[in-house]
Amino acid sequence: MFNIHYFASVREQLDSAGETIDASGDINTVADLIAVLSSRGGAWSLLEDRNRVLVAVDQAVADREQRLTGNEEIAFFPPMTGG
Amino acid sequence: MTTMIRVDVQQQDFDLAAEYAAVRGKADNPGAVTIFSGLVRELQDSATADQSLTLEHYPGMTEKALQNIAERACDRWPLSVCRIIHRIGTLLPGDQIVLVATASSHRDAAFDAAHYIMDYLKTSAPFWKKQVAGEQGFWVDSRASDHEAAARWQHKQD
């Protein structure tokens, strides 16, 4: 299972704070997972925008080519504004 | 030298004087302590009185990110103490948001490490700010200038 979290404006635009998704043979990379989520249509296509949406895998920033094994925590969020 | 690193992510306010005393007390023969505090500014272009800033974060990753930034600063400069506090939740104009304190034998390390930590904290720690003024709320955009500031540390000679 992928344990997915959405933060800040991404959460608001998707109207979802998170969900779990079954791992499947089709999801080998972060990009694959994004394709699955984006295929829902509507606001979900915002996840495709690499400039506006960053990804973390197991609480570390990751690029979209990162491989997944099927039980990671994934988070999608806008560029950070701390400090 | 073992550096004492302590990071906290918390809603409650911090006492700058108490944190300084703690850093000074723990530091190993310090010659310099640098303290930085970041505050909530008022929106200048908004006339409403009821402004606030809401800080959202990624529980778990936030603490790791701050710890990682502190460890990188300690690898790069000879610090004996490195303290970071970052607040979350809803804050008002004038409130304290963040504290960075560093202690070292000499001032260059204390100043530069604190500056480095703040520049990375602005861009690499998973917090998101939402500015609220009356009924309106908008998410603060990440700034190119903050990313440039962080990138400059890759080229500087210490």
Side-chain angles (χ1 to χ4, degrees):
Chain A
M1 300 288 287
F2 295 112
N3 185 9
I4 304 178
H5 301 284
Y6 306 108
F7 289 102
S9 56
V10 172
R11 183 195 68 248
E12 286 184 353
Q13 287 174 266
L14 298 178
D15 195 23
S16 171
E19 59 184 301
T20 53
I21 294 211
D22 282 326
S24 78
D26 295 333
I27 303 178
N28 297 306
T29 63
V30 169
D32 293 339
L33 177 61
I34 289 172
V36 167
L37 296 170
S38 172
S39 69
R40 293 171 177 176
W44 293 92
S45 59
L46 73 86
L47 294 175
E48 301 277 5
D49 188 337
R50 288 175 184 248
N51 292 322
R52 292 232 172 100
V53 180
L54 304 180
V55 186
V57 175
D58 288 339
Q59 301 188 351
V61 172
D63 64 39
R64 288 159 182 242
E65 285 59 56
Q66 179 154 330
R67 300 197 67 78
L68 301 173
T69 58
N71 52 12
E72 287 92 348
E73 175 173 311
I74 315 272
F76 296 100
F77 44 79
M80 307 172 193
T81 53
Chain B
M1 165 178 55
T2 321
T3 312
M4 300 191 60
I5 294 176
R6 186 170 164 206
V7 309
D8 282 300
V9 177
Q10 63 192 48
Q11 257 185 301
Q12 64 269 39
D13 201 358
F14 51 83
D15 178 340
L16 202 83
E19 294 298 331
Y20 169 63
V23 168
R24 197 177 161 196
K26 286 185 204 139
D28 176 21
N29 194 22
V33 177
T34 295
I35 310 264
F36 172 87
S37 77
L39 310 172
V40 180
R41 286 196 307 267
E42 234 173 60
L43 289 176
Q44 293 297 295
D45 56 354
S46 172
T48 57
D50 49 334
Q51 292 179 23
S52 62
L53 185 71
T54 298
L55 280 143
E56 182 171 334
H57 78 118
Y58 184 170
M61 185 175 172
T62 326
E63 294 83 349
K64 285 197 186 72
L66 294 181
Q67 180 74 23
N68 179 260
I69 292 168
E71 284 172 5
R72 291 204 325 252
C74 294
D75 282 343
R76 188 159 165 174
W77 289 278
L79 306 180
S80 62
V81 180
C82 180
R83 176 86 171 106
I84 304 175
I85 304 175
H86 199 302
R87 293 179 68 197
I88 50 172
T90 298
L91 304 178
L92 300 177
D95 280 355
Q96 302 183 124
I97 305 173
V98 60
L99 171 80
V100 173
T102 56
S104 185
S105 304
H106 299 285
R107 69 187 185 284
D108 283 351
F111 271 136
D112 288 351
H115 198 169
Y116 169 93
I117 289 167
M118 272 311 301
D119 284 346
Y120 272 95
L121 203 153
K122 292 295 246 180
T123 57
S124 308
F127 297 94
W128 299 278
K129 290 175 175 166
K130 190 173 193 181
Q131 198 91 41
V132 178
E135 298 291 311
Q136 305 280 345
F138 62 90
W139 292 97
V140 175
D141 272 328
S142 159
R143 297 198 307 191
S145 56
D146 287 334
H147 288 272
E148 285 156 19
R152 277 199 291 274
W153 288 101
Q154 293 171 31
H155 308 295
K156 273 185 201 172
Q157 305 280 337
D158 297 330

